[in-house]
Amino acid sequence: MMIILLPIAALLCGIALLLLGTGLLNTLLALRGSGEGFADQTLGLLGSAYFVGFIVGTWLCPKLIRRMGHVRAFGFFAAAAAASVLIHVLLIDVGVWLFLRVLTGTALVGIYTVIESWLNTQAPPERRGQVFAIYMAVNLGALALAQQLLRLDSPMGFSLFAVAAILIIVALMPVAATKLSQPVISDTPGLSLKRLWLAAPVACAAATLSGLAMGGFWGLGAVYAGRMGMDATQVAGFVSVVIVAGALFQWPMGILSDRVDRRLALAIIAGVAAAGGVCMALFGPMGQWLLVAAALFGGGAFAVYPAAVAHLIDHLHHEDILSGNASLLMLHGVGAAVGPALAGWLMGITSAMALPLFFTLMFGLCGLYALQQSRLGKDRIVDSAAHYVPMVRTSPAVLEMMLEDAETDVPTPSPDSESTIKPAANRSTANDSGN
């Protein structure tokens, strides 16, 4: 494994430094905006603007990377992100911040695309699943650690913005120094939403609803914790607990997803997240108990999207899997763009307690729909059952690497494979046979 990791260590180091900076910024902006007197609706719109940038970036950035090359593109996007960080604190204005959040979201998709396409081509096909797992661990670890940087100074000062910008700029150094050959980025056209829904309606619903909820968390989770009386250090602990619990629960949730009807597994996983939302609403003013509720929420919430991806793979032919996942990623992104604005509006007309109740509603609807679909009959799997793969939403470039681990023993499509549907006897039997 070390032979594989050493050549890509620069890429992993670069993305870790970048996520330390941007992970700090996301929470910092919520706290600074709240301290500046921004309304909850405004803070929600700022969260939505970031994910709008993500959607724009999935279309725009591959074109720019092909034009500039990977190293120069990484420098271009990192410079844009670092400049955005500093402008936030120089010009405290809602309109300026909205534009900067769109710009930051777009730049980060570009950076993710550079790193993930590079990793995808550098890792041998038989090792891509392991490289993907390490990459996801670096993602979640950096995001959790970034929250602890809030302990360095007050969100109302300049220092934390400077730290975030420095980390983003320093992330350039290992990537610019790499001698890795630059890969070619190919377009991944999406599957039509109608075909996607007909193939796996539960996956579509789960991706959209989890996007709504998780967009709300990333945009307003820190604001909610602050409204509950937590200071900046405690807010950092709250966000870190959600992320770490989400990472740790991936393993048991993945076992559940692979061993029972995937729709039933999604119902249970979403139910855990919804229960966490209820507990967050009940225990909000209770200090340490809120952290317990946050852990329960994170444990379920972070597992819904990867379970939806696995369910979608179950219902697509091999040649449609990549395009289908690109479309599912877009559905999740649209949900994440709408979620913060909707949750912020609800918080504005009621109270901060509306945020965990919003989580409960989104994941509750997801769980109920998945449960209702599971009662319609046995799940019918096309080609072969997939493995659950722990993941967070990044860019379409990572899908090929993720699918190396998600697909198992997929047969070569026959000429009439479009009409071939193989029912799965049960999930545990499929896994016992090597799926």
Side-chain angles (χ1 to χ4, degrees):
M1 176 57 74
M2 289 304 297
I3 296 176
I4 297 170
L5 289 181
L6 283 176
I8 62 173
L11 303 180
L12 295 176
C13 182
I15 199 67
L17 289 167
L18 177 90
L19 288 170
L20 282 172
T22 58
L24 168 62
L25 178 67
N26 289 339
T27 307
L28 177 59
L29 286 179
L31 296 176
R32 181 61 178 263
S34 182
E36 295 289 349
F38 289 0
D40 289 340
Q41 294 98 322
T42 300
L43 295 172
L45 285 173
L46 290 173
S48 292
Y50 174 78
F51 288 105
V52 168
F54 246 80
I55 295 171
V56 172
T58 59
W59 170 77
L60 178 64
C61 290
K63 297 180 176 65
L64 292 177
I65 295 169
R66 290 191 198 98
R67 178 180 177 181
M68 291 185 283
H70 278 59
V71 173
R72 286 193 297 169
F74 189 97
F76 178 84
F77 294 130
S84 296
V85 171
L86 296 176
I87 295 172
H88 277 102
V89 74
L90 295 175
L91 296 173
I92 300 174
D93 176 80
V94 173
V96 173
W97 278 29
L98 284 170
F99 171 75
L100 292 174
R101 294 309 283 155
V102 174
L103 179 61
T104 303
T106 304
L108 285 186
V109 170
I111 291 170
Y112 286 144
T113 303
V114 168
I115 296 293
E116 290 164 2
S117 59
W118 231 331
L119 290 174
N120 192 34
T121 56
Q122 291 298 316
E126 68 276 9
R127 295 286 190 175
R128 283 181 183 171
Q130 296 174 46
V131 171
F132 177 83
I134 293 170
Y135 176 65
M136 287 296 114
V138 169
N139 265 261
L140 292 170
L143 287 173
L145 183 60
Q147 310 311 312
Q148 303 312 308
L149 296 175
L150 288 167
R151 299 171 181 268
L152 298 177
D153 197 9
S154 166
M156 302 307 294
F158 174 77
S159 297
L160 290 178
F161 287 90
V163 169
I166 289 169
L167 286 167
I168 294 171
I169 293 169
V170 171
L172 271 167
M173 296 172 67
V175 176
T178 185
K179 295 181 179 179
L180 295 176
S181 58
Q182 299 188 34
V184 175
I185 296 179
S186 57
D187 283 322
T188 304
L191 204 65
S192 74
L193 295 182
K194 181 179 179 180
R195 284 188 62 193
L196 201 68
W197 179 266
L198 291 175
V202 173
C204 295
T208 305
L209 291 168
S210 68
L212 285 162
M214 294 309 292
F217 168 73
W218 291 118
L220 295 164
V223 176
Y224 167 75
R227 297 280 195 273
M228 294 299 104
M230 290 184 166
D231 59 26
T233 299
Q234 293 169 324
V235 169
F238 169 81
V239 178
S240 293
V241 164
V242 175
I243 297 170
V244 171
L248 294 178
F249 272 68
Q250 293 276 339
W251 180 68
M253 294 300 185
I255 292 175
L256 173 68
S257 173
D258 285 345
R259 291 189 176 178
V260 303
D261 185 313
R262 197 92 65 184
R263 297 166 299 178
L264 179 60
L266 265 167
I268 295 171
I269 294 168
V272 170
V278 171
C279 292
M280 284 172 64
L282 293 175
F283 301 150
M286 299 185 186
Q288 298 301 315
W289 285 105
L290 178 56
L291 297 181
V292 175
L296 180 63
F297 169 74
F302 275 78
V304 172
Y305 179 66
V309 170
H311 180 63
L312 177 68
I313 294 172
D314 286 344
H315 293 82
L316 291 178
H317 291 288
H318 181 63
E319 63 271 21
D320 291 329
I321 288 176
L322 197 58
S323 58
N325 274 280
S327 294
L328 196 71
L329 188 66
M330 184 59 67
L331 280 179
H332 188 74
V334 170
V338 174
L342 181 56
W345 175 75
L346 291 172
M347 290 172 68
I349 64 173
T350 55
S351 70
M353 208 64 68
L355 184 65
L357 294 178
F358 176 75
F359 299 155
T360 300
L361 177 62
M362 295 301 103
F363 285 120
L365 288 173
C366 175
L368 288 173
Y369 181 66
L371 181 62
Q372 182 265 333
Q373 289 292 302
S374 72
R375 294 183 173 181
L376 297 181
K378 287 185 177 180
D379 202 11
R380 299 178 67 84
I381 297 175
V382 174
D383 290 341
S384 179
H387 276 314
Y388 174 102
V389 179
M391 65 180 301
V392 292
R393 184 188 187 276
T394 52
S395 80
V398 83
L399 293 175
E400 292 183 49
M401 185 166 57
M402 179 272 292
L403 292 176
E404 291 290 337
D405 204 34
E407 302 171 56
T408 56
D409 300 329
V410 179
T412 302
S414 60
D416 59 346
S417 61
E418 286 296 319
S419 61
T420 304
I421 299 180
K422 178 176 64 178
N426 57 62
R427 184 69 56 185
S428 59
T429 301
N431 279 289
D432 290 342
S433 65
N435 289 323

